[in-house]
Amino acid sequence: MRQTNPPLDRATIGLATMFLGSAALHLARPQVYEAIVPHALPRKRELVYASGVAEIVCGLGLLHPRTRKVAGLASAVLLVVVLPANVQMSADHAKRAQRKGDTGSKAFFAGTVARLPLQWPLIRTALRASGRLR
């Protein structure tokens, strides 16, 4: 019995589009992302470039039926791997908001915190694209 590839649905197209857009920013403006690489990690520019390339590979892989399963799994892994950068961004903005105390800094910090739980639906979409979730 031949196993079929998961269908290309709106959520998967959205995830692929998000990856490809983010990858373009990672490669065109790496300095923007260097600031959120966890402080303990070395070679921040190289990590930003590597994550941008990984996003291109995952994004394109999600769009093709033959590579969707492996790309879905790789996408879920990538989303978990970059989660510490999102946490770092929130921690840095928490300090900035506390130090500055202005409404703009507090609002930006709140946005970074609100963004963190959004990783989980993205991971679920990636796992659905891999055929691991229904």
Side-chain angles (χ1 to χ4, degrees):
M1 184 166 106
R2 187 168 181 233
Q3 193 174 9
T4 60
N5 294 315
L8 182 60
D9 59 8
R10 282 181 158 168
T12 303
I13 292 170
L15 182 60
T17 302
M18 183 202 72
F19 275 141
L20 294 170
S22 180
L25 289 173
H26 276 75
L27 300 176
R29 305 246 344 197
Q31 65 276 16
V32 171
Y33 293 94
E34 287 177 38
I36 67 169
V37 173
H39 301 309
L41 295 176
R43 303 177 65 122
K44 293 178 184 345
R45 175 75 49 111
E46 290 85 351
L47 289 171
V48 170
Y49 283 142
S51 64
V53 170
E55 287 176 329
I56 290 170
V57 170
C58 288
L60 292 176
L62 287 168
L63 296 174
H64 195 281
R66 283 198 209 162
T67 56
R68 190 165 305 126
K69 283 184 178 184
V70 70
L73 194 54
S75 297
V77 169
L78 179 60
L79 288 163
V80 170
V81 167
V82 300
L83 186 58
N86 296 326
V87 171
Q88 184 67 62
M89 180 172 54
S90 288
D92 290 345
H93 283 285
K95 290 175 190 170
R96 190 171 297 137
Q98 190 174 28
R99 189 175 63 244
K100 286 186 172 183
D102 63 82
T103 305
S105 296
K106 290 177 182 176
F108 195 84
F109 165 63
T112 66
V113 171
R115 180 178 185 257
L116 291 174
L118 296 177
Q119 291 290 110
W120 303 120
L122 296 175
I123 292 167
R124 287 185 56 80
T125 297
L127 290 173
R128 269 197 312 279
S130 76
R132 303 268 175 163
L133 288 180
R134 297 283 169 220

